[in-house]
Amino acid sequence: MAQLPELNNTLSVSQITGHIQHTLEQDYGNVWVKGEISNLTRHSSGHWYFSLKDSGAQLGSVMFSRQNQSVRVEITHGMEVTAHGRISVYAPQGRYQLIVDQMLPAGQGDLHLAFEALKKKLDGQGLFDPTRKQALPPYPDRVGIVTSPTGAAIRDMINILSRRFPLAELLLIPVKVQGEGAAAEIAHAIEIFNQRQDCQVLIIGRGGGSLEDLWAFNEEVVARAIAGSSIPIVSAVGHETDTTISDFVADRRAPTPSAAAELAVPDKIELDNRLSNLGQRLQKNILNRVERHEQRLNAIQGSYALKRPVLMINQASQRLDNMQDHSLRMVKEKIGNYGSKLDGFEQQVKALNPLSVLVRGFAVLSKPDGKIIRSVNQLKVGDQVQVRLSDGEVQSTIDSLNSKKK
Amino acid sequence: MSKKDKSFEVLMGELETLVSTLEGEDLNLDDAIKHNEEALQLIKLCRERLDSARQKIDKLVQSADGEWQKQPLD
C-alpha cells in the first residue's frame, strides 16, 4: 500500500498530463518509426488516421493533409513504412500519438535513415562548413563535367554553356549516374579532374529520378571526393526539391543541371555589357583627364608669372623695333645728306671743267706759248693761235681783228 | 606571353586593373593615354574572343592501357 499522499505532492490530472506531454514531446520530437500500416482512414478533411504496428505494439498516428500530399507512393493497409514525425499528447483523451510529417515505403525509409546518418556524420566532420567553400572562377577556360553522356542533363548543360559562354571548353568524363558502381565512377572522375588540373570548375550531377536513382550522390565516397577537390564543384542533382549529400559538400548547389551551367560560366550578353561599360568608363576618364590638363594649362598660361616675361619680351621687342627704325632713319638721313653734298660737288666740279664748256660748242684760243687769249687786244693780224675744241686742236692764223665798240 | 596566348580570365583581370588604375588619380597624362589605349585594345580583344568563340566539347575516356584520352563528344 502506498503511503497517504502529502497535499503538496499531489498532482491534478491536468498537471501530470502536462508533465507527460512535456517529457514525451521533448524526447520524441524528431523520430523515425518503422512499422506496418493498419486501420487506415482517409478523412474527408484530407487528414489520414492510422496505426503503426509490429508484433508487439501499436502506435496511433495521424498525417495531416498538408504533409500527406507530398507522399508519392500509394499508402495501403498492411504496408511496411518508415515514418518521420513527433510524439504528441492529446490531453482530453489521455492519448499519445505520432504526428507524421514524412512517410516512405520501408526500403526507401532505410535510405532516408542512411542519408540522415551520413549527413550528420559529415556535418560533424565539418564537410559542410561554409568556410570550406571555394569561390567559382568568374571566366573559366575549361569546364569539367561529370555526368552520364546520354540523357537530358548533359544536353541541357551543353545548350546553356554554349549559349552563355562559348569561350569555355567543355570536358566531360562520362560516368554511370545510378546503379551498381555509379558512386565509385563519379568519385574517380572527380579525382581524375583533380590530377589533370586543366579545368577551373566542375559540374557533377544528373537529371531527376527516384531517391534510389539519385542515391550515388548520397554516398560517402562521392562526398569525400567532392570535399577533397581543389577545383570548385557545382552539384546539380535531380530537380529543385531533391537534396543530396553532394549538394551539401559541393562549393555551390544548383537546383538543376541547367542552373548549374548558369552558375559555372558568365553570360556572354552580360559580359558584352560589362565590356561596353568599361569602355565608357575609359572614355569618360580620359576626356576628364584631358579637360583637367587643359584647364591647368590655361590657368598656367594666364598666370602673372608667365605673363610678366612675355610682357617684358614684348616691351623689349618694341624698343628694339623703335631703335631699329630710329637708326635706319639716321642712316638714311646721313646717306641723304652725303648724297646731296656729293651732288653739289659734282655740279661744282662739272661747272669748273673747261672741257664741259667746249662740249657745248665753245673754243679756247691760246698763243703758242700756251697763254690763253681772253681779249682781242692780245692779238694782231697774222698771229698764230691754237684753237682748242672738245675733241682736238686746230692751228690757225688771225686774218682780221674787230673789237666790239663799247 | 603575348595577349593572344592569355586566357580570357587573365585578359579581363588586366582590363579591370587598368581601368581602376586609370580611375585612380596619381597618374600622369602620358601614362593615362598609354593605359587607355591598352585598355581599349583589351576590350576589342575580349569582344573578338567572345564573338568568334565556337564551343569545343570533348570527353575523356580511358583507353585499354589505362590512359585517359580526349575525344570529341558526338
Side-chain angles (χ1 to χ4, degrees):
Chain A
M1 279 289 281
Q3 294 202 337
L4 279 177
E6 286 176 37
L7 206 57
N8 51 7
N9 271 352
T10 310
L11 300 171
S12 70
V13 174
S14 291
Q15 277 172 328
I16 189 157
T17 304
H19 285 312
I20 290 169
Q21 187 168 23
H22 181 78
T23 306
L24 289 185
E25 290 181 0
Q26 184 154 331
D27 290 357
Y28 304 101
N30 176 17
V31 288
W32 286 95
V33 182
K34 203 156 129 181
E36 183 192 318
I37 299 275
S38 72
N39 301 323
L40 175 65
T41 310
R42 292 173 215 267
H43 197 270
S44 57
S45 63
H47 307 324
W48 297 349
Y49 298 95
F50 53 95
S51 294
L52 286 175
K53 68 167 195 181
D54 60 18
S55 55
Q58 63 173 311
L59 174 63
S61 304
V62 59
M63 192 171 191
F64 296 115
S65 62
R66 263 176 64 111
Q67 279 77 38
N68 67 36
Q69 277 166 14
S70 67
V71 177
R72 292 197 202 143
V73 287
E74 176 71 12
I75 300 295
T76 53
H77 183 79
M79 191 176 193
E80 283 288 332
V81 297
T82 309
H84 177 266
R86 60 187 172 87
I87 295 291
S88 155
V89 172
Y90 185 57
Q93 291 179 10
R95 292 197 304 122
Y96 67 93
Q97 59 183 355
L98 180 69
I99 312 283
V100 178
D101 54 30
Q102 216 178 334
M103 187 155 61
L104 300 155
Q108 273 188 33
D110 289 344
L111 292 181
H112 254 271
L113 294 175
F115 176 90
E116 293 297 337
L118 181 59
K119 185 178 158 194
K120 199 170 163 188
K121 175 176 153 189
L122 297 180
D123 195 13
Q125 292 173 1
L127 263 68
F128 307 158
D129 193 335
T131 60
R132 297 186 75 250
K133 308 280 182 200
Q134 308 178 76
L136 304 185
Y139 315 107
D141 279 338
R142 198 175 287 120
V143 179
I145 304 175
V146 178
T147 193
S148 162
T150 58
I154 184 66
R155 289 293 138 209
D156 288 352
M157 286 193 268
I158 287 174
N159 277 343
I160 287 178
L161 292 166
S162 311
R163 200 185 64 217
R164 283 174 68 95
F165 197 61
L167 220 58
E169 283 179 28
L170 308 183
L171 191 53
L172 168 73
I173 295 188
V175 292
K176 271 170 73 176
V177 290
Q178 66 189 71
E180 193 64 32
E185 279 192 23
I186 296 165
H188 189 48
I190 294 171
E191 282 152 17
I192 293 296
F193 273 128
N194 272 277
Q195 282 164 24
R196 295 174 62 89
Q197 288 291 329
D198 55 351
C199 297
Q200 292 84 45
V201 61
L202 303 180
I203 303 175
I204 67 160
R206 53 154 294 151
S210 70
L211 185 65
E212 285 92 338
D213 290 343
L214 307 185
W215 193 251
F217 294 89
N218 285 324
E219 290 200 25
E220 187 165 353
V221 57
V222 172
R224 297 276 174 208
I226 295 173
S229 172
S230 63
I231 308 167
I233 293 183
V234 182
S235 164
V237 184
H239 298 299
E240 195 92 33
T241 49
D242 299 316
T243 309
T244 60
I245 299 286
S246 291
D247 295 336
F248 290 114
V249 194
D251 299 290
R252 287 294 286 274
R253 188 223 160 186
T256 60
S258 300
E262 286 178 5
L263 277 180
V265 295
D267 186 11
K268 195 179 147 181
I269 296 166
E270 277 168 31
L271 265 179
D272 215 55
N273 290 340
R274 175 149 180 65
L275 286 173
S276 300
N277 176 272
L278 284 173
Q280 281 165 8
R281 269 165 67 186
L282 281 173
Q283 202 189 7
K284 205 172 133 193
N285 178 275
I286 204 77
L287 284 179
N288 278 344
R289 245 170 226 286
V290 169
E291 205 171 299
R292 265 205 315 279
H293 280 81
E294 213 168 66
Q295 281 170 0
R296 265 180 65 195
L297 211 59
N298 287 341
I300 290 169
Q301 253 176 354
S303 75
Y304 179 69
L306 269 193
K307 257 187 178 165
R308 209 168 70 112
V310 170
L311 278 179
M312 283 165 66
I313 288 167
N314 284 344
Q315 283 170 2
S317 149
Q318 208 174 343
R319 269 180 59 204
L320 264 178
D321 285 350
N322 288 343
M323 280 160 71
Q324 198 182 17
D325 287 354
H326 183 69
S327 61
L328 257 181
R329 218 165 38 239
M330 301 280 282
V331 169
K332 271 186 187 158
E333 248 167 51
K334 282 246 160 74
I335 290 172
N337 288 346
Y338 287 132
S340 41
K341 260 187 190 160
L342 274 175
D343 285 351
F345 287 150
E346 197 184 9
Q347 294 299 320
Q348 268 179 307
V349 169
K350 274 184 181 161
L352 286 172
N353 184 358
L355 291 177
S356 65
V357 180
L358 302 187
V359 171
R360 283 184 276 155
F362 292 93
V364 177
L365 298 187
S366 53
K367 294 197 169 172
D369 61 1
K371 200 172 176 185
I372 288 176
I373 300 158
R374 297 177 196 268
S375 160
V376 176
N377 296 334
Q378 292 175 267
L379 293 171
K380 49 191 194 298
V381 173
D383 275 359
Q384 293 280 317
V385 291
Q386 269 188 335
V387 182
R388 211 170 151 194
L389 297 169
S390 66
D391 53 353
E393 284 172 6
V394 182
Q395 304 290 328
S396 67
T397 313
I398 302 299
D399 288 342
S400 63
L401 294 166
N402 295 312
S403 60
K404 274 184 191 165
K405 300 280 189 308
K406 295 215 174 153
Chain B
M1 194 192 242
S2 93
K3 285 201 170 72
K4 295 248 181 286
D5 301 327
K6 287 180 182 171
S7 73
F8 191 80
E9 174 162 12
V10 169
L11 291 179
M12 282 301 282
E14 283 180 3
L15 178 56
E16 276 161 25
T17 311
L18 270 178
V19 175
S20 29
T21 309
L22 271 168
E23 284 174 344
E25 282 305 311
D26 40 352
L27 200 62
N28 66 48
L29 188 61
D30 281 347
D31 284 345
I33 289 170
K34 216 177 80 198
H35 280 42
N36 183 63
E37 272 169 14
E38 207 176 319
L40 289 176
Q41 272 177 5
L42 277 172
I43 288 179
K44 197 166 151 255
L45 191 60
C46 287
R47 258 233 170 87
E48 281 169 5
R49 288 257 183 113
L50 273 184
D51 290 342
S52 66
R54 289 269 165 282
Q55 197 142 41
K56 198 164 160 275
I57 307 170
D58 292 316
K59 64 180 173 185
L60 270 184
V61 286
Q62 205 167 13
S63 57
D65 59 3
E67 285 296 304
W68 288 85
Q69 284 173 339
K70 259 193 207 180
Q71 289 174 7
L73 184 73
D74 21 74

